[in-house]
C-alpha cells in the first residue's frame, strides 16, 4: 500500500469516497508514463512518470483528466490554500459572496476538494453557443463554473437560513459533528453526500451477482504455511520425503561498478 498512498496523496479523500472505486484502480487510471525502456532482457526497466498533476472539474479516472495531463504538456502553476478540515459536502445549501449572483443561495451539486472548489446548481454560470453554422443559429447552453470555498461561498445555517462559518466539534457523546460558529447549532451532513455512481445510499444498495457476499468477508479462505508448492502437494498426496539434502553454501559476488538490490 505505500506506493499507492504516495501517488494518491494528491487525490482528496472525498473524491475517493464519491467514486466508490478501489485506490489501485484510481492509481492505474491517473498514472501517466512519458517514456520507458523496451521490454527486453538486455534493457534495464526504467520509466519516466508524471509526478505533478493538473486537477480540474474532471475526475482523475476520466479521459478528460488524461488529456489534460498528457506527458509533455505544460500548465500554469496553481497555488491552493490548504484546508485542514473540509466542511462542504454535496447537498449543502450555500450563499454566494461574489459575482453577479452575490447574495443568492443554492445547493452544492459537485465538489472538487483538490482545488477547494464547489459547483452550485444554477448559479455562477457562463453561456456559450454550440453548433453555430451559416444556416443554423446554434444552441446556447448554460455552464456552471466552480467557486472557491475560502472566499466565494459560505455555508447556510439551516436553523435560520443565514450565512455562517462552520467548524468540527465533538458532542458530549463523543460524536464528531459540524457546527455553525454563529449559532452553535449542528449542521447535519446531507444525504446527497453519500451518493456514488453505484448507489444513492449504502442502505438501499442491492448486492449484484459478481459482488463479494458479506458472509464471505469473515470466512478464512487462505491459510498461510511455511511450505513450498511441492511440499504442499506431496503432503496432500501422502508422499513422505525421507532423503536428507546435502548442505550447500552461496557466496554473493561483489563488483566495484555494480550494486545488487535484494
Amino acid at each position: 500500500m505505500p506506493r499507492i498512498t504516495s501517488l494518491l496523496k494528491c487525490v482528496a479523500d472525498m473524491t475517493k469516497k464519491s467514486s466508490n472505486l478501489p485506490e489501485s484502480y484510481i492509481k492505474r487510471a491517473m498514472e501517466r508514463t512519458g517514456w520507458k525502456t523496451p521490454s527486453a532482457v538486455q534493457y534495464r526497466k526504467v520509466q519516466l512518470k508524471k509526478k505533478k498533476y493538473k486537477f480540474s472539474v474532471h475526475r482523475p479516472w476520466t479521459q478528460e483528466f488524461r488529456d489534460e495531463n498528457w506527458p509533455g504538456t505544460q500548465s500554469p502553476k496553481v497555488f491552493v490554500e490548504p484546508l485542514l478540515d473540509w466542511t462542504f459536502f454535496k447537498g449543502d445549501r450555500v450563499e454566494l459572496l461574489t459575482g453577479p449572483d452575490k447574495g443568492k443561495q443554492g445547493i452544492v451539486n459537485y465538489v472538487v476538494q483538490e482545488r477547494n472548489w464547489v459547483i452550485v446548481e444554477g448559479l455562477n454560470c457562463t453561456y456559450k453557443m454550440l453548433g453555430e453554422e451559416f444556416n443554423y443559429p446554434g444552441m446556447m447552453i448554460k455552464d456552471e463554473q466552480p467557486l472557491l470555498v475560502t472566499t466565494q461561498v459560505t455555508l447556510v445555517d439551516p436553523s435560520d437560513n443565514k450565512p455562517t462559518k462552520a467548524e468540527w466539534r465533538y458532542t458530549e457523546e463523543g460524536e464528531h459533528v459540524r457546527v455553525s460558529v454563529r449559532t452553535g447549532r449542528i449542521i447535519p451532513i446531507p444525504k446527497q453526500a453519500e451518493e456514488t455512481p453505484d448507489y444513492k445510499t449504502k442502505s438501499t444498495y442491492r448486492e449484484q451477482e459478481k459482488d463479494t457476499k458479506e458472509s464471505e468477508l469473515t470466512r478464512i479462505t487462505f491459510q498461510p504455511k511455511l511450505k513450498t508448492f511441492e511440499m504442499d502437494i506431496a503432503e496432500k498426496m501422502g508422499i513422505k520425503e525421507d532423503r536428507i539434502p546435502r548442505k550447500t553454501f552461496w557466496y554473493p559476488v561483489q563488483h566495484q561498478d555494480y550494486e545488487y538490490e535484494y
Side-chain angles (χ1 to χ4, degrees):
M1 275 305 186
R3 291 186 179 178
I4 297 178
T5 306
S6 62
L7 179 62
L8 294 179
K9 63 182 179 181
C10 50
V11 180
D13 293 333
M14 286 193 63
T15 302
K16 302 174 191 176
K17 293 178 181 177
S18 63
S19 67
N20 200 31
L21 294 171
E23 288 193 355
S24 57
Y25 173 78
I26 300 177
K27 168 186 175 293
R28 190 169 62 250
M30 68 181 293
E31 196 174 59
R32 305 299 294 149
T33 302
W35 174 84
K36 63 180 180 179
T37 55
S39 56
V41 180
Q42 65 270 28
Y43 293 102
R44 180 189 173 200
K45 291 185 179 179
V46 179
Q47 292 184 351
L48 183 62
K49 295 184 179 180
K50 192 177 182 68
K51 294 183 179 180
K52 297 181 180 179
Y53 295 90
K54 173 189 175 183
F55 288 91
S56 63
V57 294
H58 304 298
R59 298 302 190 186
W61 52 88
T62 59
Q63 183 61 41
E64 291 82 0
F65 182 86
R66 293 173 62 88
D67 294 340
E68 291 175 352
N69 291 275
W70 196 261
T73 56
Q74 296 291 336
S75 56
K77 194 171 184 179
V78 179
F79 296 93
V80 181
E81 180 181 347
L83 299 179
L84 298 179
D85 297 320
W86 185 263
T87 56
F88 291 83
F89 294 87
K90 183 180 178 181
D92 279 333
R93 180 175 290 276
V94 296
E95 183 173 315
L96 273 66
L97 304 176
T98 58
D101 294 325
K102 180 180 179 179
K104 294 183 180 180
Q105 296 183 0
I107 304 298
V108 175
N109 60 8
Y110 200 78
V111 177
V112 185
Q113 191 178 355
E114 294 85 359
R115 295 287 298 272
N116 292 344
W117 281 349
V118 292
I119 294 179
V120 183
E121 185 176 357
L123 297 180
N124 192 39
C125 299
T126 58
Y127 297 87
K128 57 183 179 181
M129 297 292 297
L130 291 180
E132 187 176 5
E133 297 178 357
F134 65 95
N135 58 350
Y136 180 69
M139 178 176 60
M140 179 176 289
I141 64 171
K142 184 167 64 172
D143 190 17
E144 298 159 347
Q145 298 299 310
L147 293 160
L148 276 172
V149 299
T150 53
T151 56
Q152 296 178 327
V153 293
T154 183
L155 280 172
V156 172
D157 194 333
S159 61
D160 55 6
N161 288 333
K162 292 183 179 179
T164 180
K165 292 184 178 181
E167 64 182 13
W168 291 94
R169 298 178 185 173
Y170 286 95
T171 61
E172 294 181 357
E173 293 77 16
E175 184 181 1
H176 201 207
V177 294
R178 190 174 50 160
V179 177
S180 170
V181 176
R182 183 171 53 82
T183 62
R185 294 179 177 270
I186 296 177
I187 304 177
I189 297 177
K191 287 291 184 181
Q192 292 93 320
E194 198 176 342
E195 291 182 4
T196 70
D198 298 322
Y199 53 76
K200 290 289 184 180
T201 59
K202 292 183 179 180
S203 58
T204 57
Y205 179 74
R206 295 183 179 180
E207 290 185 351
Q208 303 298 320
E209 181 182 355
K210 295 185 178 181
D211 288 348
T212 303
K213 305 299 180 182
E214 187 175 358
S215 58
E216 296 291 332
L217 297 177
T218 57
R219 188 170 66 89
I220 299 176
T221 58
F222 173 73
Q223 188 67 36
K225 299 178 182 178
L226 292 174
K227 297 179 181 179
T228 63
F229 175 74
E230 292 79 5
M231 294 168 63
D232 194 15
I233 295 297
E235 181 181 351
K236 291 181 178 179
M237 297 181 64
I239 302 174
K240 294 184 178 181
E241 180 60 73
D242 299 328
R243 296 175 298 176
I244 300 176
R246 294 187 305 169
K247 291 184 179 181
T248 56
F249 302 92
W250 179 77
Y251 300 95
V253 180
Q254 300 294 336
H255 195 280
Q256 58 180 359
D257 295 333
Y258 297 90
E259 190 175 77
Y260 290 90
E261 294 183 359
Y262 302 100

